[in-house]
């Protein structure tokens, strides 16, 4: 806030007082009588889930029933205890005492001011005893109203309501009766205890909501990071596959003219262009890989694994203690290297998950060479050992789905009826004749 030239500078005490009154205005004055109906509660909690299905939807309105019950209790309390006049007047005063309690259902902040007004009416109509101005009926009504209002507002509002209650208890007896009353002490103490409990509950609830929201944000960011890491890993692995094919194209384009006697100049120029394009594509591929590869990350020396390396993988996990069996169906044939690499990595990740999350459970790997694609199924039974907390991010399934989506395949993963876990994948693979026919139909 900038100071106006020539104006007297505001002292820190003035700014503090101004801030306090501003908070009072925001909490209890501005839009005090705004319509804010009490929302239903969730019915998926630990207690409501145990209720019968027919009653469970009605349990959402349990807070409304509690408020209505409190209002019903206030009516006879105020009518019998506060006034010794004829019954119709007692009933009217009982309804006045119950009105602020019912107002908390729709206008919580306005109900607080209504409770002060109702307390004043009941005090003027009742006897001047030691508990004045909070006679028994007004005491119950005011305590219930302020407690419910505190539940529906921020913790700072609870402090303001207690201070206003204290000021009301000291000033009203002096203004009306000319002397101080002892009724403010019990009300201040009981109300302070109630508001303290409510404030602690609200603070813990807000903290739990903030933690839950932060966990959701963290989970989303972790999913994104895991997805990016998995895509980077796939790019690194497929680099060798694509680079191999591009190198073969370049070498064959360079050697093709020497396999024909006296090749035409146009043919030599065409092969030279093919080689130049293949070399340029290979250079761009390596340049892109350099973006996703860290400075200390080097290209692997060993060739990327394929399904032919599956027996070695199974031997390794058996040494780690996993009982696993492999089943191969269909006519085994050579598949594109990208498909075989992704299939190998999916099986590797699924078996790693079995080792981590289902210790002692036997597993089975099924590889099906079917018409039009490759089917993979990895299933494990229920764990027989103690499952230790995993130190990983728990997003191996995300990597599998990313590989399958890259190959335009389908994947399902979930628990089995027997309590185990199953990962099923189908990767479409077009035959060479189909691919050639498709390339002929596509425009140049």
């Amino acid at each position: 806030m900038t100071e106006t030239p020539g104006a007297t500078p505001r002292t820190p005490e003035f700014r503090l007082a101004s801030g306090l009154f501003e908070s009072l205005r925001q909490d209890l004055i501005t839009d005090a009588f705004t319509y804010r109906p009490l929302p239903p509660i969730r019915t998926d909690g630990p207690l409501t889930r145990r209720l019968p299905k027919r009653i469970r939807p009605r349990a959402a309105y349990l807070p409304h029933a509690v408020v209505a019950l409190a209002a019903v209790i206030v009516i006879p309390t105020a009518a019998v205890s506060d006034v010794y006049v004829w019954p119709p007047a007692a009933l009217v005063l009982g309804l006045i005492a119950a009105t602020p309690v019912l107002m908390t259902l729709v206008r919580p902040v306005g109900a607080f001011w209504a409770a002060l007004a109702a307390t004043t009416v009941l005090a003027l109509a009742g006897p001047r005893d030691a508990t004045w101005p909070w006679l028994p009926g007004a005491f119950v009504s005011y305590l219930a109203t302020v407690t419910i209002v505190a539940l529906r507002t921020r913790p700072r509002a609870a402090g303001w309501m207690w201070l206003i209650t204290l000021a009301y208890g000291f000033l009203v007896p002096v203004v009306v009766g000319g002397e101080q009353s002892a009724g403010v002490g019990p009300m201040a103490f009981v109300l302070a205890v109630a508001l303290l409990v409510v404030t602690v509950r609200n603070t813990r609830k807000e903290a739990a909501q903030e933690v839950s929201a932060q966990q959701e944000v963290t989970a989303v960011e972790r999913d994104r990071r895991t997805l990016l890491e998995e895509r980077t890993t796939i790019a690194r692995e497929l680099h060798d596959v694509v680079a191999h094919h591009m190198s073969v194209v370049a070498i064959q384009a360079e050697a093709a003219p020497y396999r024909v006697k006296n090749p035409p100049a146009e043919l030599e120029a065409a092969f030279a262009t093919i080689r130049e394009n293949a070399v340029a594509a290979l250079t761009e591929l390596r340049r892109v890989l350099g973006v996703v590869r860290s400075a200390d990350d080097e290209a692997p020396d060993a060739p990327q694994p394929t399904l032919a390396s599956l027996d070695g993988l199974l031997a390794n996990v058996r040494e780690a203690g996993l009982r696993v069996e492999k089943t191969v169906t269909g006519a085994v044939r050579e598949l594109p290297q990208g498909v075989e690499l992704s299939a190998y990595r999916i099986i590797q990740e699924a078996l790693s998950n079995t080792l981590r999350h289902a210790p002692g459970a036997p597993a089975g790997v099924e590889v099906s060479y079917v018409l039009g694609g490759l089917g993979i199924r990895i299933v494990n039974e229920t764990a027989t050992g103690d499952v230790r907390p995993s130190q990983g991010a728990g997003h191996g399934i995300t990597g599998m789905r990313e590989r399958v989506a890259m190959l335009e395949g389908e994947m399902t993963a979930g628990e089995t009826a027997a309590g185990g876990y199953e990962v099923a994948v189908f990767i479409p693979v077009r035959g060479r004749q189909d691919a050639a026919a498709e390339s002929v139909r596509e425009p140049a």
Side-chain angles (χ1 to χ4, degrees):
M1 179 182 296
T2 58
E3 298 288 345
T4 304
T8 304
R10 296 182 177 180
T11 63
E13 293 80 3
F14 180 84
R15 290 196 297 267
L16 177 61
S18 176
L20 290 176
F21 283 109
E22 179 64 20
S23 65
L24 172 62
R25 185 182 66 83
Q26 292 178 358
D27 293 337
L28 297 179
I29 298 177
T30 303
D31 299 328
F33 289 87
T34 301
Y35 182 71
R36 288 175 49 200
L38 179 64
I41 62 174
R42 298 174 57 180
T43 58
D44 56 351
L47 296 179
T48 54
R49 283 199 303 263
R50 301 179 181 179
L51 296 175
K53 293 183 178 180
R54 294 181 299 177
I55 306 177
R56 193 178 304 170
R58 300 179 182 177
Y61 296 94
L62 181 61
H64 304 72
V66 172
V67 173
L69 178 62
V72 171
I73 295 175
V74 165
I75 293 176
T77 304
V80 174
S81 303
D82 297 351
V83 182
Y84 302 97
V85 294
W86 57 297
L91 179 60
V92 171
L93 294 176
L95 293 175
I96 292 175
T99 299
V101 180
L102 292 176
M103 282 184 62
T104 59
L105 293 174
V106 291
R107 306 182 191 277
V109 178
F112 168 71
W113 299 110
L116 288 175
T119 299
T120 304
V121 172
L122 294 175
L124 294 176
R128 300 286 182 91
D129 57 11
T131 62
W132 199 88
W134 281 291
L135 302 177
F139 189 95
V140 175
S141 173
Y142 190 85
L143 181 63
T145 301
V146 177
T147 302
I148 298 173
V149 173
L151 284 170
R152 299 198 58 194
T153 55
R154 64 180 65 182
R156 188 175 63 186
W160 280 118
M161 287 189 293
W162 187 83
L163 291 176
I164 293 174
T165 301
L166 198 64
Y168 176 88
F170 280 114
L171 294 177
V172 169
V174 175
V175 173
V176 176
E179 58 183 5
Q180 187 61 49
S181 173
V184 65
M187 171 57 74
F189 175 76
V190 176
L191 187 62
V193 174
L195 293 180
L196 179 61
V197 173
V198 171
T199 302
V200 171
R201 179 257 183 191
N202 288 346
T203 303
R204 293 187 61 180
K205 183 179 179 180
E206 291 180 0
Q209 291 176 348
E210 292 179 359
V211 170
S212 178
Q214 186 63 35
Q215 287 177 345
E216 292 180 0
V217 173
T218 303
V220 171
E221 294 298 329
R222 185 169 61 244
D223 288 340
R224 291 178 180 177
R225 184 176 65 252
T226 303
L227 191 60
L228 292 176
E229 291 176 354
E230 189 62 32
R231 289 179 177 177
T232 302
T233 302
I234 294 173
R236 294 170 182 171
E237 294 177 346
L238 291 182
H239 165 264
D240 293 343
V241 176
V242 179
H244 168 73
H245 289 297
M246 297 303 297
S247 300
V248 170
V249 171
I251 293 173
Q252 289 182 346
E254 184 178 9
Y258 297 100
R259 297 182 179 179
V260 181
K261 293 183 178 180
N262 300 321
E266 294 82 359
L267 183 61
E268 290 184 354
F271 280 118
T273 302
I274 294 174
R275 181 183 182 279
E276 290 176 359
N277 289 334
V279 172
L282 188 59
T283 302
E284 292 296 329
L285 178 65
R286 289 171 177 168
R287 186 175 301 167
V288 171
L289 183 67
V291 175
V292 299
R293 175 176 286 153
S294 59
D296 56 349
D297 186 22
E298 298 180 356
D301 297 331
Q304 296 293 346
T306 62
L307 290 177
S309 309
L310 189 57
D311 290 335
L313 172 63
L314 299 182
N316 289 335
V317 295
R318 288 191 184 103
E319 292 179 358
L322 177 63
R323 293 175 293 165
V324 58
E325 298 293 335
K326 183 185 75 169
T327 303
V328 179
T329 59
V332 179
R333 64 185 185 276
E334 183 180 357
L335 301 175
Q337 289 180 314
V339 174
E340 296 217 2
L341 171 61
S342 295
Y344 180 92
R345 293 302 188 196
I346 290 172
I347 296 173
Q348 184 182 41
E349 181 62 33
L351 294 178
S352 298
N353 287 342
T354 302
L355 283 171
R356 287 194 298 265
H357 304 296
V365 177
E366 299 179 10
V367 181
S368 303
Y369 292 85
V370 297
L371 183 63
L374 175 69
I376 305 171
R377 181 173 178 266
I378 307 97
V379 60
N380 62 266
E381 299 180 6
T382 308
T384 59
D386 295 333
V387 180
R388 298 181 179 179
S390 176
Q391 300 298 326
H395 292 281
I397 298 295
T398 302
M400 298 183 200
R401 294 191 187 280
E402 186 67 16
R403 291 181 182 273
V404 174
M406 178 190 64
L407 298 172
E408 299 180 353
E410 299 178 358
M411 171 180 166
T412 59
E415 295 185 1
T416 62
Y421 201 84
E422 178 186 35
V423 175
V425 174
F426 176 77
I427 302 175
V429 179
R430 294 188 301 175
R432 293 184 178 181
Q433 295 179 353
D434 296 338
E438 184 69 21
S439 63
V440 171
R441 288 194 296 267
E442 291 179 355

